Amino acid sequence: MSTDPLSSAFSAAGDDAITRTIDIAEDPSAQRLPVFDFADFYEIERTASAILDGDFKRVALQFPDELLPDSVPIYRLLKKRVGEGHDLYVLADTSYGSCCVDEVAAQHVDADMIVHYGRACMSQTSRLPVVYVFGRKLIDVDVCVNKLAGLITTSISSGASESQRQIVLRHDVAYSYRADEIVNQLRSKVEAVGVAVLYHQVPTRLDPPPASTPSESNGDSKTSEPNHEHSDLEPNLVAESSYTIIYIGGESLGLTNLLMTHSSCEVHSYDPSTGVVRQESGRTNKLLMRRYATVQKARDADVFGILVGTLGVASYLPLISHLRKLLARARKKSYTISVGKLNPAKLANFMEVECFVLVACPENSIIEAKEFFKPIITPFELEVALQAEGTWSGRYVLDFGRILAEHNRESDLTPDGNEDEEEQDPDRPTFSLVTGQYRHAKRYGDGGSQSEDTSNDPTAVILRNQDGTVSRLADSAAGTSPFAFRRYLSRTYQGLEARIGEDAPSILEQGRSGIARGYADDHQPNRPS
């Protein structure tokens, strides 16, 4: 059978899917150290003790993709130590980011505890206790301490202020097993020059907060659990600009978030894999400028999509409720969307949405990919975008608890919350820094007030029109203007419509039966071979 050269020029034969080789960069935390055996590297004894001490009957073992090859040996070692009566389940292909605890997948097996392996964002869970096994990246403690001590000594000799003599030490979670040793040696080396090294130990287990009241579950709580990894580094620290941060680890989302949330601090990093010490401030300013440009695009948006990017962080439900209230008060239209892991193809299905707000853990909140058609912002960036121009000072917040706590404090100071909105002219144009032109913002809803009339509620049941087409919703972003409504109806899939008298009835025929390698009608006597 000959191959059409014209068709082969535009389509491949499919052989490359079998012969293609894929280069996989192995995560350093997945490389077992030669000086430790397998059980020590994955802390089998500590994990088994936590299971037995808590008498957990159904335990979910969550692995990232790079650690899946070791899931079976880990399962066997743990099963041998915990014995019968304790069921273990391996979780892979997490619902969202692999750094988050996947409580959704754990509920599928009715687990009462999760063991999380690999890099973790350390976000507070909402329902299940979690034991963390970070892995162990190679690090030479003596070289690390000497490098950091030299950096601190050089900074002091160059004329550091008294407030800058406070050094906050942060590190990748894979170095937690040597962190105490590094901190103790570093303190002994720099205490002679009057430098205080502050360190907040990374916990290896997190338990869910106490059961909340119904008001707290609706987002009306006045307190929230802090994020252990991204909250204030020490409870007794003064202003953020008064100390220097030293980060141990390579380039990662954790370092990026540290630079974003502490842009006013002097940040230095030490990468144990390369031995390089460098200052990270210049990179932060560029990232902040890109985020500021994204905020300007969000100012021009009238329809927002709230993306659910996590179901394991304790405060995600109150935060979604808070975002809905903010958008309703600003007369913006909002939709809550849950699509799992993000990609441009999924978000391209929501044509009416002009800007997305991602509710995810701090390490997955900042999306810098250019493939997405619409901007994706964080909850804090949404608050900045809804404020007046020139109100952003460069401060950045990624922690859910801090955002809700600040909102509650502002609500206590201004109970009304919208004292200036009624005085503004709704038809007043605003200047867009993106297009360089004035624009009139659309206004949806009634400003968040509760009305007894549900005829304009988009969620209410609406009768089909007489012509059999889709009914227009009064407050829907797809039907607020004739142009948008025509674009909505012109989509390829429009749902089930009654096309009585338009399509000729087709003839019912018996289909093929059998299996693919030999259907029942493949070898008929009168059929040519």
Side-chain angles (χ1 to χ4, degrees):
M1 180 177 180
S2 62
T3 303
D4 187 3
L6 183 61
S7 61
S8 62
F10 293 95
S11 62
D15 297 339
D16 58 334
I18 301 176
T19 59
R20 183 176 66 238
T21 59
I22 301 176
D23 297 330
I24 300 177
E26 188 177 6
D27 190 272
S29 61
Q31 300 174 2
R32 292 186 289 275
L33 303 180
V35 295
F36 295 103
D37 59 11
F38 193 89
D40 289 337
F41 182 78
Y42 287 108
E43 304 180 63
I44 299 297
E45 293 297 337
R46 179 175 70 87
T47 306
S49 299
I51 296 174
L52 295 174
D53 294 343
D55 194 21
F56 297 106
K57 301 300 183 182
R58 304 173 70 87
V59 180
L61 310 178
Q62 179 181 338
F63 292 89
D65 295 341
E66 63 270 13
L67 295 183
L68 276 178
D70 293 337
S71 60
V72 174
I74 292 175
Y75 170 86
R76 291 173 177 172
L77 289 173
L78 285 177
K79 188 62 178 178
K80 181 179 179 180
R81 283 163 175 77
V82 300
E84 298 296 331
H86 302 276
D87 298 330
L88 306 178
Y89 302 87
V90 175
L91 303 183
D93 191 18
T94 54
S95 303
Y96 299 100
S98 60
C99 65
C100 298
V101 175
D102 195 350
E103 292 187 321
V104 176
Q107 285 183 334
H108 292 168
V109 297
D110 196 19
D112 50 9
M113 176 188 174
I114 300 178
V115 181
H116 185 281
Y117 291 88
R119 183 177 62 88
C121 59
M122 304 302 296
S123 298
Q124 177 66 56
T125 57
S126 58
R127 290 178 291 270
L128 299 177
V130 183
V131 172
Y132 290 97
V133 180
F134 303 120
R136 299 182 174 185
K137 291 184 179 181
L138 288 173
I139 183 172
D140 191 324
V141 176
D142 295 332
V143 174
C144 175
V145 171
N146 292 332
K147 290 270 189 178
L148 299 183
L151 172 64
I152 295 173
T153 304
T154 304
S155 177
I156 294 299
S157 61
S158 60
S161 62
E162 186 66 27
S163 59
Q164 292 178 335
R165 292 178 179 269
Q166 289 183 338
I167 304 296
V168 175
L169 186 65
R170 298 289 295 271
H171 59 81
D172 190 299
V173 292
Y175 300 113
S176 299
Y177 74 109
R178 306 298 295 271
D180 291 336
E181 186 178 355
I182 294 174
V183 172
N184 294 333
Q185 292 189 21
L186 185 61
R187 285 174 176 171
S188 62
K189 284 182 174 292
V190 300
E191 63 180 0
V193 294
V195 175
V197 178
L198 306 178
Y199 173 67
H200 182 66
Q201 189 174 12
V202 178
T204 57
R205 173 172 174 172
L206 289 180
D207 293 310
S212 59
T213 62
S215 62
E216 291 175 348
S217 62
N218 293 331
D220 297 331
S221 172
K222 295 298 180 182
T223 60
S224 59
E225 289 292 327
N227 187 307
H228 289 269
E229 179 69 8
H230 298 278
S231 58
D232 288 338
L233 301 174
E234 288 288 336
N236 57 350
L237 289 180
V238 290
E240 290 186 351
S241 59
S242 63
Y243 55 84
T244 301
I245 300 177
I246 297 179
Y247 180 82
I248 301 176
E251 294 187 5
S252 62
L253 293 175
L255 177 58
T256 301
N257 294 336
L258 183 66
L259 295 173
M260 293 287 292
T261 55
H262 299 82
S263 58
S264 59
C265 298
E266 184 178 348
V267 181
H268 299 268
S269 67
Y270 167 70
D271 189 353
S273 61
T274 61
V276 176
V277 179
R278 65 180 183 181
Q279 188 172 355
E280 300 285 350
S281 59
R283 174 186 165 194
T284 314
N285 296 334
K286 295 180 181 179
L287 185 57
L288 281 175
M289 286 189 290
R290 291 199 298 269
R291 300 313 302 175
Y292 183 75
T294 306
V295 169
Q296 297 304 319
K297 296 179 181 178
R299 290 184 186 274
D300 296 346
D302 299 313
V303 182
F304 289 82
I306 302 176
L307 296 175
V308 181
T310 180
L311 295 178
V313 182
S315 303
Y316 84 97
L317 280 177
L319 182 62
I320 291 176
S321 177
H322 168 62
L323 296 179
R324 288 174 178 171
K325 293 178 181 178
L326 281 180
L327 293 171
R329 190 180 302 124
R331 306 294 179 91
K332 306 291 185 180
K333 186 64 180 177
S334 65
Y335 296 94
T336 304
I337 305 168
S338 178
V339 294
K341 294 181 179 179
L342 302 182
N343 61 57
K346 289 181 180 179
L347 299 188
N349 292 317
F350 306 98
M351 301 173 58
E352 290 77 22
V353 176
E354 302 173 3
C355 180
F356 293 96
V357 185
L358 178 58
V359 179
C361 75
E363 292 201 5
N364 293 324
S365 294
I366 301 176
I367 304 296
E368 286 288 317
K370 298 180 180 179
E371 292 81 8
F372 293 94
F373 298 100
K374 301 297 175 62
I376 303 177
I377 62 176
T378 65
F380 179 76
E381 291 173 343
L382 175 64
E383 293 185 348
V384 176
L386 296 180
Q387 296 174 0
E389 289 285 350
T391 55
W392 193 18
S393 60
R395 176 176 171 271
Y396 210 87
V397 179
L398 290 174
D399 178 40
F400 292 177
R402 292 182 62 179
I403 294 176
L404 293 175
E406 292 176 1
H407 168 69
N408 292 331
R409 285 196 297 267
E410 294 177 358
S411 300
D412 293 338
L413 295 177
T414 57
D416 296 336
N418 55 356
E419 62 278 357
D420 295 333
E421 293 182 1
E422 300 299 334
E423 299 179 0
Q424 296 179 358
D425 184 7
D427 297 328
R428 183 189 62 175
T430 58
F431 184 76
S432 172
L433 295 179
V434 178
T435 61
Q437 300 176 353
Y438 282 95
R439 61 178 295 271
H440 289 272
K442 300 185 181 69
R443 297 172 66 85
Y444 295 89
D446 53 358
S449 62
Q450 301 295 331
S451 175
E452 297 297 333
D453 184 13
T454 60
S455 60
N456 293 331
D457 185 6
T459 62
V461 178
I462 298 179
L463 298 178
R464 182 180 293 273
N465 294 339
Q466 297 298 326
D467 56 357
T469 59
V470 179
S471 300
R472 177 185 295 194
L473 302 181
D475 198 31
S476 173
T480 52
S481 65
F483 173 75
F485 190 59
R486 287 195 300 269
R487 185 180 62 179
Y488 178 75
L489 292 179
S490 63
R491 293 183 180 179
T492 304
Y493 177 76
Q494 302 176 9
L496 299 178
E497 295 184 3
R499 299 177 56 87
I500 300 175
E502 298 182 21
D503 299 328
S506 59
I507 301 176
L508 297 179
E509 298 179 354
Q510 179 66 35
R512 280 185 170 184
S513 62
I515 58 178
R517 68 177 183 179
Y519 289 106
D521 59 347
D522 280 350
H523 304 286
Q524 297 178 359
N526 298 329
R527 184 176 179 180
S529 58

